[in-house]
Amino acid sequence: MRKPLIAGNWKMYKTPKESLAFLERFLPLVATHTRDEIALFPTMSSLGYVIEATHGTNVSAGAQTMHWLNEGPYTGQTSPTMLASIHCTHVLLGHSERRIYANETDEMVNLKLKAAIGHGLVPIVCVGETLEKRQSNLTEAVLRWQIANALNGVEAEGSEALVIAYEPIWAIGTGSTATPTQVSEAHRIIRREIAERLGQERANQTRILYGGSVKPENTAMLMAQPEIDGALVGGASLDPDTFARIVCYAS
Ligand code: PGA
């Protein structure tokens, strides 16, 4: 059984004060929730505060990105050692906004994934096609390429915590969600590629989340798909009541 993971990606929103105000409202709303795992991804400046405020609760906190090296002359970067040292447990890798605006390549995502595994962080590797690729019938090729490159040199042993987030770029922040059928199809492609790289057993255990305009209104429909093991939520995770409705979707 794969325990669903509902993750909130706050992107470049919320000061520490705003993050703590969110938690004050959100934590009681989900305090008794055990069906799904819950994780929040605040900005680096809020991460330490969120980790402290969620300590001992059912909510985890993670970073939106990291470097793959432990230290060095890399202005602006944060290392896996540094994240682990503040008890950060999760990390997003290769989000499309990082790929587009920070020129993150498949090769970098691969290095980061290996570093995350080496430091015991739960890596959430984001993949997804552009509208152009989908319209050219290249969705499968893109997904297989991204997964194959991310997993290059990764072993089945040690990658138990691996999570993949399928986030079609055309669905992110646009309000147009992929249909449950489109998502299930993409997840099956991803799982087949994981099976080829890491074996069927690891593929069966790997959680594959969907991200792209997830809202309270479409969560139950998406989560009803056996192939969908959770959600990576952007915009709708910024409001505590809205995100709590997503986490507590009625199945
Ligand atoms: P969205 O973002 O929910 O606002 O579409 C999802 C994401 O980028 O992870």
Side-chain angles (χ1 to χ4, degrees), residues 187-217:
H187 284 207
R188 273 193 293 273
I189 292 167
I190 292 168
R191 206 176 295 286
R192 266 204 308 274
E193 191 63 32
I194 300 172
E196 259 177 53
R197 305 277 147 188
L198 304 178
Q200 195 60 51
E201 194 185 334
R202 176 66 60 248
N204 291 343
Q205 288 165 358
T206 302
R207 288 177 293 182
I208 306 179
L209 319 183
Y210 166 73
S213 300
V214 173
K215 317 173 249 249
E217 296 73 27

Side-chain angles (χ1 to χ4, degrees), residues 2-232:
R2 302 185 291 260
K3 185 169 181 164
L5 167 63
I6 311 288
N9 173 12
W10 285 354
K11 308 191 179 189
M12 201 171 71
Y13 293 96
K14 291 194 193 298
T15 62
K17 198 174 161 190
E18 289 163 347
S19 304
L20 294 176
F22 173 103
L23 290 174
E24 207 175 310
R25 171 84 190 154
F26 178 70
L27 291 177
L29 294 174
V30 299
T32 57
H33 192 86
T34 53
R35 179 191 56 197
D36 312 273
E37 250 177 72
I38 310 167
L40 289 167
F41 295 82
T43 62
M44 241 19 132
S45 55
S46 288
L47 182 57
Y49 294 94
V50 172
I51 289 170
E52 210 178 300
T54 54
H55 181 77
T57 73
N58 56 340
V59 177
S60 308
Q64 296 176 11
T65 184
M66 66 171 198
H67 201 277
W68 57 91
L69 296 174
N70 288 334
E71 57 181 11
Y74 301 102
T75 304
Q77 299 279 10
T78 308
S79 80
T81 325
M82 291 161 189
L83 293 180
S85 77
I86 60 167
H87 307 293
C88 171
T89 51
H90 294 58
V91 64
L92 296 181
L93 300 176
H95 189 282
S96 61
E97 287 155 12
R98 301 282 316 163
R99 294 179 191 255
I100 295 165
Y101 304 121
N103 300 317
E104 228 166 76
T105 63
D106 287 315
E107 195 190 1
M108 287 152 91
V109 173
N110 173 249
L111 291 169
K112 289 171 187 220
L113 173 57
K114 287 190 244 184
I117 290 171
H119 286 83
L121 294 161
V122 176
I124 303 181
V125 175
C126 305
V127 296
E129 80 287 359
T130 60
L131 186 59
E132 196 192 349
K133 297 282 187 206
R134 174 164 284 271
Q135 286 169 342
S136 317
N137 280 325
L138 289 171
T139 301
E140 172 160 6
V142 169
L143 295 177
R144 293 191 60 182
W145 173 265
Q146 287 178 333
I147 295 291
N149 279 283
L151 297 182
N152 186 23
V154 170
E155 306 283 340
E157 203 184 318
S159 59
E160 292 80 5
L162 174 69
V163 179
I164 305 290
Y166 168 59
E167 299 207 306
I169 294 170
W170 48 272
I172 295 178
T174 58
S176 63
T177 318
T179 66
T181 315
Q182 285 173 322
V183 180
S184 296
E185 219 172 84
H187 284 207
R188 273 193 293 273
I189 292 167
I190 292 168
R191 206 176 295 286
R192 266 204 308 274
E193 191 63 32
I194 300 172
E196 259 177 53
R197 305 277 147 188
L198 304 178
Q200 195 60 51
E201 194 185 334
R202 176 66 60 248
N204 291 343
Q205 288 165 358
T206 302
R207 288 177 293 182
I208 306 179
L209 319 183
Y210 166 73
S213 300
V214 173
K215 317 173 249 249
E217 296 73 27
N218 57 30
T219 308
M221 183 177 69
L222 289 161
M223 292 301 294
Q225 306 301 311
E227 274 295 335
I228 304 181
D229 307 314
L232 180 54

